[in-house]
Amino acid sequence: MALPQNLTICFSKRALRDIERNIAQPQPEQGGALLGPIGQPLISHLIPDPAARTTGASYFPSDQLTSKVQEMERYHNLEFKGIIHSHPGSLDRLSGPDEEALAEGLRINPHMDYFIAPIVTRKGFFSGALGEHELDLGQTKLSCYMGYNRGSRIEISPVPVQTVRAAMPDRPEPTTTLAPSAPASHSPSFAFSRFEQHLKQAVKHLNLMEDPRFFPLVQDGVDLRGSTVQVEGGLELLFMAGGGYPVAAPVLLATLEDGNTEQLQMPWSLEVPAAERLTRAMKDLLSGSGPYRKGYGVILGKSALTDNPERAAIAGWSGRFVAEDPAVIQAQVREGLFARSQGLLSQHIRQKRVLIAGAGSVGSYMAEQLVRQGVEQITLIDPDGVELANLNRSSYDLADVGRTKVDALACRLLNINPGVEITRSPLDLFDHDPETLASWIEAADLVIGTTDQPKAQQALNRYAHGLGTTALYVGLYDGAQGGEVLLVIPEKTPCYACAAATRQGFQEVSSSVDYGTGRVSGEMALVADIHHVASGAVKLALALLLPPEAEANLKAFVEPLLESGQTFLTFSMVPNYWFYPQLLGQVPGQFAYQSVCLTPEKSDTCPVCGAPEHRIDPRSIPLKAPAVTDLRAVLAEAS
Ligand SMILES: [Zn+2]
Ligand SMILES: [Zn+2]
């Protein structure tokens, strides 16, 4: 091997293409691992690392990257060569932390002669010619550095680079010594019949669509046995086995639906018994990390949105083989969702879980807006199905009619962000097992009550307050002429039951809300009015999800309400509704919409938030009273 000082590092066209797509295009800092054939100064593969932790100045590889690298090394005869990452601005050198990370990379990989660490930056308008250690990537450039051990010191320097066409030069000599084979196996026809037998087994084992067809082939004057296998998802595999089978792997060409054909390296291990070798190789090839993998929800003709079949079934996505890791496109989707809210929100809300009880006009709208803003963990509870009459004011469309609301809404949310994790329950709140409901509410960072039953809102209040989970209760009344959003933080604000009692104190409105909040499901109401109140609730929800350490201006939306105790937001969508004329009658320029924040009064005897001796454990109140027939049965048995 050349001394590290005289090295030129070669990058394959394929590796550069992947670097351009995954490292150069997205925002800094992006990174990934570089791999190439063992013992050669060639970079042939990039493994992107969308799960990495990044800050403005540094990139920290994720644990997932390490396991992917090990997988590639094992199955593709490649070795890890180093880490590439991008820099914001024009810093086309290693930063201090980068140099430390490189030295650490060499220390923990003592078998490596050198460690490659290229930096990708945007090309400045006035930047001069590229250096010997740099490559042009269109809008960006790659500047290559390496570290190596020189005596007891670690030397770091730029290293010359060039592009090569070959994706994969000859493999190094295998280290395994093969025993001389039995005479019968010298005959190609014996190899061919074993290949046919093994491929049929593999196709059966992997549940592929049809039996393989076999045919003779001649390549470079050598007799081969060919076979094509169709794989569900638009992948066609062409195998060519020679007389060396099963010691030598068959040559494999893969053709995708778009007509692109590529020669694939079979993950071929002589440690696997000969009869299972082909099955195992195909299994590894068609699952896991690629080079092709089953993906669902293809966008832009190439990338898949997820590799999770359950999610794909909910979202209505069909499967296909794709060349890119869904994690890459998911990271890009996420970046897009946060691109227009910088400074207002922060990515902290991705880790927050929101439970929404009631997926009607308010709940479906709120769920959709929260996911568009970046929330990635949602629990949905609603027993109803989607009907045509729901289409004028909820998130559903014609294709959803007949589905449960929780399934239809989950589909909607996944088509906005394929990375959202959704728990669905198509049950009435009162039909839940109390322990299950309690565990969901406890796991949530925020509970949103948008059911159309006052009883259900009261039950949610008991659970959320008892379990210490912050909650919002959204209600509309009188055909959405009036509306309310109540914020409850256990032990800080009065609870929903207390606020509802405060509301009853307003004589002017009590008759129209006697039936309780939220009873808008069957009422005549405009979507504009419903969404007016729901939008206020969305904004409040997002503000509540931001942790103290988040640098996000939206926090200022909720802080004054909490400081002044005005946690009961009321809205009027028509002029002169409710108590608004008494309060605002003398103020010029008033019409609809109007909004006033009230201060709910806490009752000392409240069973939810009152003095300790008055409180009742929510789980001690049965969610559902026993049915009359059950009672009769018990009585009959007793008599
Ligand atoms: Zn850096
Ligand atoms: Zn209370």
Side-chain angles (χ1 to χ4, degrees), residues 296-506:
Y296 303 86
V298 173
I299 65 163
L300 302 172
K302 197 157 174 68
S303 304
L305 296 168
T306 184
D307 51 14
N308 181 328
E310 197 204 341
R311 239 173 241 210
I314 300 166
W317 299 328
S318 53
R320 245 189 82 170
F321 276 85
V322 290
E324 270 169 43
D325 189 342
V328 174
I329 192 76
Q330 281 187 16
Q332 288 170 357
V333 168
R334 177 177 298 147
E335 213 169 275
L337 291 177
F338 280 98
R340 303 275 159 90
S341 62
Q342 284 175 28
L344 288 167
L345 287 174
S346 85
Q347 298 225 5
H348 291 94
I349 63 170
R350 280 175 43 208
Q351 325 297 341
K352 303 291 181 177
R353 177 170 284 280
V354 178
L355 179 145
I356 299 178
S361 51
V362 175
S364 68
Y365 174 81
M366 288 190 70
E368 180 176 337
Q369 301 309 317
L370 290 173
V371 167
R372 287 190 189 281
Q373 298 283 240
V375 173
E376 290 190 350
Q377 297 179 66
I378 300 266
T379 302
L380 300 173
I381 298 176
D382 196 303
D384 293 338
V386 178
E387 297 169 15
L388 283 172
N390 297 133
L391 265 54
N392 77 329
R393 57 196 192 202
S394 55
S395 285
Y396 307 110
D397 58 38
L398 284 172
D400 297 323
V401 175
R403 289 181 97 177
T404 63
K405 282 184 176 170
V406 291
D407 279 358
L409 187 52
C411 170
R412 178 84 178 163
L413 302 180
L414 286 169
N415 277 286
I416 295 164
N417 181 352
V420 185
E421 201 260 288
I422 304 168
T423 302
R424 293 160 290 144
S425 175
L427 294 180
D428 191 280
L429 192 78
F430 296 103
D431 289 337
H432 284 83
D433 160 45
E435 290 304 326
T436 307
L437 186 63
S439 71
W440 287 348
I441 287 178
E442 200 164 22
D445 297 283
L446 179 67
V447 164
I448 298 178
T450 66
T451 70
D452 55 8
Q453 308 170 60
K455 261 173 63 192
Q457 301 283 80
Q458 295 282 7
L460 276 176
N461 179 49
R462 288 195 293 274
Y463 274 78
H465 199 283
L467 296 162
T469 306
T470 298
L472 287 177
Y473 301 92
V474 189
L476 290 139
Y477 19 82
D478 253 5
Q481 294 184 71
E484 65 183 29
V485 180
L486 178 73
L487 159 59
V488 178
I489 300 181
E491 311 308 339
K492 280 197 184 149
T493 71
C495 78
Y496 173 80
C498 290
T502 305
R503 190 207 305 119
Q504 300 307 322
F506 291 96

Side-chain angles (χ1 to χ4, degrees), residues 192 196 214-219 222-227:
F192 293 167
E196 291 185 6
F214 295 95
F215 42 87
L217 268 176
V218 179
Q219 173 85 31
V222 177
D223 281 330
L224 301 169
R225 182 66 89 219
S227 175

Side-chain angles (χ1 to χ4, degrees), residues 461 465 488 493-499 601-610 615:
N461 179 49
H465 199 283
V488 178
T493 71
C495 78
Y496 173 80
C498 290
E601 278 167 41
K602 177 172 161 164
S603 159
D604 197 46
T605 55
C606 173
V608 178
C609 72
R615 292 198 187 184

Side-chain angles (χ1 to χ4, degrees), residues 14-43:
R14 177 193 157 137
L16 283 178
R17 185 201 66 191
D18 287 349
I19 287 169
E20 214 178 317
R21 276 194 201 151
N22 296 299
I23 309 291
Q25 304 283 0
Q27 283 190 352
E29 296 215 0
Q30 294 289 324
L34 299 172
L35 292 96
I38 295 165
Q40 297 185 39
L42 168 64
I43 307 295

Side-chain angles (χ1 to χ4, degrees), residues 3 44 89 113 141 248 267 304 380 392 394 415 451 516 535-536 567:
L3 286 173
S44 60
D113 294 313
K141 67 170 180 179
L380 300 173
N392 77 329
S394 55
N415 277 286
T451 70
S535 286
T567 51

